[in-house]
Amino acid sequence: MMYNTFVLSITLMSLKAPTVLGFGVTRPSYHPINLQKRRASIHLQMALDVNELEAQAIATSEAWGIDTTQFFDSNEAAQIEEKLCGRADVTCLRLGGRPNSVRARFVLTHPDLGMDVASAEAEHCRVLSVTNVDLGRADPWPNVLTSIGVDLEKVGDIIEDGPTAFLVVDPDIAKTCSRLLPKELPGSGVTVEELVPGDEVIPDGGTLQDMEIQRLDKREQKR
């Protein structure tokens, strides 16, 4: 009888915390978390959790804060726009560094803060103009960027227009790109100029670049 009571007490103690497959699980915190710090977890899930993003947007709005997301591809961006844009309780601004961008990031805040797309673009996006690149010998842009330590979730559209490439990036990585891309890219006198996003910064008619990292055999690399 004493043995059964002891086993029962141990069992009840173990039920005080939730478990999954025998591992203790910490209950989730509902305090606002900066989305920039959560990018890795979203990326690892391999799928956008729009409901989670909605909860974060509401929490940010109620706290009168401002949050920025990573850059998303077109399908994910469309899901976010459908869920969050045009609401009365949350301001959700789509930013792409150029009109009709394919990749986009979002600014989430309270409607009464009065933030508009133009001011948000200027603060949260940069356009890099990369000139004198031998694009015929260069590796794919995602490979080049990751080789200098750039997280692709901080990169928007990349457009090639003749001998010039335009990259939309998070301001946090603009200086890294400006400093390291000329060393990484083939060409004579490669230069990187940082521009402020605007309607005419990136010309129409360029070629949008794929953002998937490619496996390159050393013998097949362009450089």
Side-chain angles (χ1 to χ4, degrees), residues 124-170:
H124 299 290
C125 290
R126 292 292 181 273
V127 175
L128 302 181
S129 171
V130 187
T131 57
N132 300 324
V133 183
D134 188 344
L135 295 173
R137 295 173 51 226
D139 288 340
W141 282 103
N143 296 56
V144 172
L145 291 168
T146 53
S147 72
I148 63 172
V150 168
D151 185 344
L152 296 183
E153 292 173 347
K154 292 178 178 285
V155 181
D157 287 351
I158 299 178
I159 305 294
E160 289 185 357
D161 185 52
T164 303
F166 297 91
L167 288 69
V168 179
V169 301
D170 186 306

Side-chain angles (χ1 to χ4, degrees), residues 189-212:
V190 176
T191 60
V192 180
E193 182 183 1
E194 183 177 327
L195 310 173
V196 176
D199 290 344
E200 300 179 357
V201 170
I202 300 178
D204 294 331
T207 304
L208 180 69
Q209 301 301 296
D210 182 56
M211 289 302 293
E212 293 293 328

Side-chain angles (χ1 to χ4, degrees), residues 60-133:
T60 299
S61 179
E62 291 177 346
W64 290 72
I66 300 174
D67 257 330
T68 55
T69 71
Q70 66 179 64
F71 281 94
F72 294 98
D73 64 29
S74 58
N75 291 332
E76 293 172 327
Q79 293 179 54
I80 295 171
E81 285 188 281
E82 183 179 1
K83 190 77 170 180
L84 295 177
C85 291
R87 292 173 52 149
D89 59 337
V90 171
T91 288
C92 177
L93 302 176
R94 186 187 194 277
L95 312 179
R98 69 187 190 103
N100 303 316
S101 69
V102 175
R103 291 172 62 81
R105 70 187 314 187
F106 295 85
V107 169
L108 310 172
T109 189
H110 192 284
D112 289 345
L113 288 180
M115 181 172 285
D116 58 41
V117 172
S119 59
E121 289 270 16
E123 184 173 355
H124 299 290
C125 290
R126 292 292 181 273
V127 175
L128 302 181
S129 171
V130 187
T131 57
N132 300 324
V133 183

Side-chain angles (χ1 to χ4, degrees), residues 47-68:
L48 171 66
D49 188 337
V50 180
N51 292 329
E52 181 184 6
L53 192 60
E54 179 186 31
Q56 178 63 30
I58 293 172
T60 299
S61 179
E62 291 177 346
W64 290 72
I66 300 174
D67 257 330
T68 55

